[in-house]
Amino acid sequence: MIVDDDGDEIGANKASSQIERNMKAMAMLVVVILVIAAYISQLYKLQIKNGDYYRGKSQRVSSHTDTIPAQRGEIFDRNATLPMVVNSDSFVVSLNPAEIPRGYYDTVTSRLSSILGIAKLEIDRKIPEKSRKIYKSIDIKMNVPFSVISNIAENIIDLPGVSWQLKPIRRYVETGSISHVVGYVGDITKEEINMMYNQGYTENMVVGKMGIEKQYDSLLQGTPGSVRKNVDARGRAISNELITTQPQMGKSLVLTIDSRIQELAEKALGNRVGAAVVLKPASGEILAMVSYPYYDQNIFSNDDAAAQYNKLVKSPNNPLLNRVVNAVYPPASTFKTIMTTAALSERVIPPSKKIECSGKVIYGDRTFRCHQRWGHGMLDMRGALAESCDIYYWVLGRDYLGVDRIASYAKEFGLGQSLEIDLPSQAAGFVPTAQWKERKYHVKWLGGDTMNMSIGQGYTLVTPLHIANMMAMVANGGKIYRPHLLKEVRDPATNEVIETIEPSLLHESNIEPSVWRAVQSDLRYVISDGTPQWPMENKVVKVAGKTGTAEVGFVDHWHAWMATFGPYDAAPEDQVVVVVLVEAVNDWDWWSPYATNIIYQGIFANQTYEQAVQALPNVRYYMGELARKVKTNGRRQE
């Protein structure tokens, strides 16, 4: 045994140190093995177990996808021959400011503005200084002709960052009054993205703004395509390899509108602020929907679309307003159709009972005057409806029916509620009640209120479509079908019908069939022997209906209604309802019945507007009188 000077055992110490070193080495080895195992485990997790996920994420980081816009579906009238709305190829010029060499931004944009024919300031507004280092193409001008694109291509060396692409734009072949039906499209707004993001809508999309374009946007949109390319972290292309997915065109829509009847109704109304609607009572199909004034939807395809929109908004009489479904008016004497139905159904008065019209009636401290100032004499119900006698219906409403029953029957006809037409917006109108007036104005409903309501004045408000549905209910003997504008959905490639819109019953009344037959007969008598006998004279078709003139505060001016259905002696399947309204802002000419007669003549004689006018001597005579500025004596005509 070897010992040191202190007598320690040197061999034992060395052995102990060796063991300690071995244990440390072993521990290090274990640590290394565990690290390697963890690393291998993580590699397995990243590359094998979750490989697909991270490869996709890597591709998203290292690739850039450009959307190829899909063409919107075309829109046809009911005959589905030529489209009313198509797509046109158009170029959009874009600028990627980050691709412009440092110090050359003003030079490039000045050159580009000169070629495009726009102010440089307009480009600067679209590309603010803070966004000029971002690798993103920004649209500078749309609807650029090919000649301008050729000019850019010839000078592309001097225009770094400038590019162009083909982008379809909406072109409206049929304009005029159809604008309110079809509507128009525009760039999606931030508010719209927020509302429709979950439906797949994103920025840079074009969406419907009004009419059918908005109502059926999801069908018309189609499926966008895409072009994917590899880029670096700053968005610059690093490869010429492209992966392309082709876009799919949107569905084709066939409307219920008949272009011939639409044009006929448009010309019949003329340049008068108002509305006209033609529908099939047995199905609810809208054959024509005219609102004047109207607008040209093609203006929204231009760069100054926002300015054009503001101009329309500020324009007198609001050309953007669809008066058929969004404007409300007092129904005036057309409401006497509902009053007659209610009286016959409730049996509150024998239809043969006569009431005297002396031209005025005093109630409370007020004198109510009939439109016939010298009076109609003794009238039964049929005669009162034909002459549109106010005094008869004042008495009928105040003394026999009462406000509650009148309101109930008005709602039975669909007034005061949405008619569920397939348009983005519509007015429900309004039917007043005694309880409503007390809550709103804190005063009681009076007999004078009932009298006003009985002749379609006062608080009651309707759209022209409400009046059309009212007449449809009479023609159908108590049934109202949901009015609609879409007839079919078709495949754009094969033209195969994908969906057909079937008639949908909106409401069916329990009023006795005998009542409807009596009302139909009375409305026919209105045309054959009543106030519109002369303007509605027609040898081709027998019509039933009711006039109405609503006082609105203008001197010698009224809203003029004509609400009809015909042929009177035909089945509902072969009939049409025609309603024409001329607003009080026009010079008073009582044109509504004449316009209605022209529409019937054109439909059932298969004539154009010009041919229909020539075939109706009464209309020609009256038009001559208007041309010579021969006015009525200022009295209301019914």
Side-chain angles (χ1 to χ4, degrees), residues 100-142:
I100 300 176
R102 184 186 300 273
Y104 284 86
Y105 172 83
D106 289 331
T107 302
V108 171
T109 53
S110 294
R111 183 74 180 270
L112 180 62
S113 67
S114 177
I115 294 175
L116 294 177
I118 60 176
K120 179 181 180 301
L121 185 61
E122 186 175 337
I123 299 177
D124 294 340
R125 279 199 298 264
K126 294 183 177 181
I127 308 177
E129 190 170 353
K130 62 181 180 180
S131 65
R132 292 174 187 174
K133 295 182 180 180
I134 301 175
Y135 278 88
K136 179 181 180 181
S137 291
I138 299 172
D139 291 347
I140 301 301
K141 184 175 175 60
M142 58 187 292

Side-chain angles (χ1 to χ4, degrees), residues 71-111:
Q71 290 195 338
R72 289 177 70 86
E74 295 179 330
I75 301 176
F76 298 80
D77 85 333
R78 68 183 299 109
N79 300 306
T81 50
L82 297 174
M84 298 188 293
V85 185
V86 297
N87 303 291
S88 293
D89 289 337
S90 173
F91 290 97
V92 176
V93 174
S94 305
L95 178 61
N96 189 329
E99 293 182 356
I100 300 176
R102 184 186 300 273
Y104 284 86
Y105 172 83
D106 289 331
T107 302
V108 171
T109 53
S110 294
R111 183 74 180 270

Side-chain angles (χ1 to χ4, degrees), residues 488-553:
E488 294 173 349
V489 180
R490 297 191 179 187
D491 185 282
T494 64
N495 203 34
E496 179 184 355
V497 176
I498 299 172
E499 181 183 4
T500 300
I501 308 302
E502 300 294 339
S504 174
L505 188 64
L506 192 62
H507 177 70
E508 184 170 6
S509 172
N510 58 8
I511 296 174
E512 295 177 4
S514 60
V515 172
W516 294 115
R517 289 193 294 270
V519 175
Q520 291 165 358
S521 177
D522 287 351
L523 290 174
R524 171 58 191 158
Y525 186 72
V526 170
I527 303 299
S528 63
D529 294 79
T531 53
Q533 180 181 1
W534 165 250
M536 288 295 295
E537 183 178 345
N538 191 302
K539 296 180 180 180
V540 172
V541 56
K542 294 180 180 179
V543 178
K546 184 70 187 78
T547 56
T549 50
E551 298 178 76
V552 292

Side-chain angles (χ1 to χ4, degrees), residues 341-586:
T341 306
L344 292 173
S345 182
E346 295 292 324
R347 296 182 173 85
V348 294
I349 183 175
S352 59
K353 179 179 175 62
K354 293 186 178 182
I355 295 175
E356 183 180 6
C357 170
S358 61
K360 66 179 181 180
V361 59
I362 298 174
Y363 184 76
D365 59 354
R366 181 180 171 188
T367 300
F368 292 79
R369 298 186 182 278
C370 185
H371 69 91
Q372 186 70 277
R373 295 303 173 94
W374 52 87
H376 290 101
M378 301 296 292
L379 291 173
D380 60 10
M381 188 178 295
R382 168 175 279 206
L385 186 65
E387 296 298 326
S388 199
C389 177
D390 291 335
I391 288 182
Y392 183 96
Y393 283 94
W394 281 331
V395 173
L396 177 63
R398 183 193 64 195
D399 299 344
Y400 293 93
L401 284 172
V403 59
D404 292 337
R405 278 195 283 203
I406 295 173
S408 175
Y409 275 87
K411 292 176 181 177
E412 181 84 357
F413 275 83
L415 274 59
Q417 53 199 288
S418 170
L419 298 178
E420 300 181 19
I421 187 172
D422 48 345
L423 285 173
S425 64
Q426 55 194 285
F430 185 69
V431 175
T433 63
Q435 293 80 4
W436 164 81
K437 185 184 178 185
E438 291 180 13
R439 286 196 304 267
K440 185 173 179 64
Y441 297 108
H442 307 292
V443 292
K444 289 187 176 181
W445 183 275
L446 302 175
D449 294 320
T450 303
M451 293 171 69
N452 278 332
M453 187 176 183
S454 298
I455 63 167
Q457 296 286 167
Y459 303 109
T460 306
L461 294 171
V462 298
T463 66
L465 188 60
H466 280 108
I467 298 301
N469 254 21
M470 178 189 77
M471 279 297 165
M473 191 171 193
V474 176
N476 288 330
K479 293 180 180 180
I480 300 178
Y481 290 90
R482 183 178 68 85
H484 60 279
L485 289 159
L486 182 61
K487 183 173 181 281
E488 294 173 349
V489 180
R490 297 191 179 187
D491 185 282
T494 64
N495 203 34
E496 179 184 355
V497 176
I498 299 172
E499 181 183 4
T500 300
I501 308 302
E502 300 294 339
S504 174
L505 188 64
L506 192 62
H507 177 70
E508 184 170 6
S509 172
N510 58 8
I511 296 174
E512 295 177 4
S514 60
V515 172
W516 294 115
R517 289 193 294 270
V519 175
Q520 291 165 358
S521 177
D522 287 351
L523 290 174
R524 171 58 191 158
Y525 186 72
V526 170
I527 303 299
S528 63
D529 294 79
T531 53
Q533 180 181 1
W534 165 250
M536 288 295 295
E537 183 178 345
N538 191 302
K539 296 180 180 180
V540 172
V541 56
K542 294 180 180 179
V543 178
K546 184 70 187 78
T547 56
T549 50
E551 298 178 76
V552 292
F554 293 88
V555 178
D556 297 337
H557 282 69
W558 300 271
H559 295 321
W561 290 95
M562 190 73 225
T564 60
F565 66 91
Y568 167 73
D569 48 1
E573 293 78 13
D574 300 319
Q575 291 178 330
V576 295
V577 167
V578 179
V579 172
V580 175
L581 168 77
V582 176
E583 285 192 14
V585 296
N586 303 277

Side-chain angles (χ1 to χ4, degrees), residues 261-308:
I261 299 177
Q262 180 77 19
E263 181 181 2
L264 179 67
E266 178 183 313
K267 289 184 175 181
L269 180 63
N271 295 336
R272 297 172 176 85
V273 178
V277 57
V278 182
L279 68 78
K280 293 174 69 68
S283 65
E285 291 178 285
I286 304 290
L287 300 179
M289 179 180 285
V290 175
S291 177
Y292 184 86
Y294 32 78
Y295 60 95
D296 183 351
Q297 312 101 296
N298 290 304
I299 63 176
F300 296 108
S301 297
N302 301 327
D303 287 320
D304 62 344
Q308 294 288 351

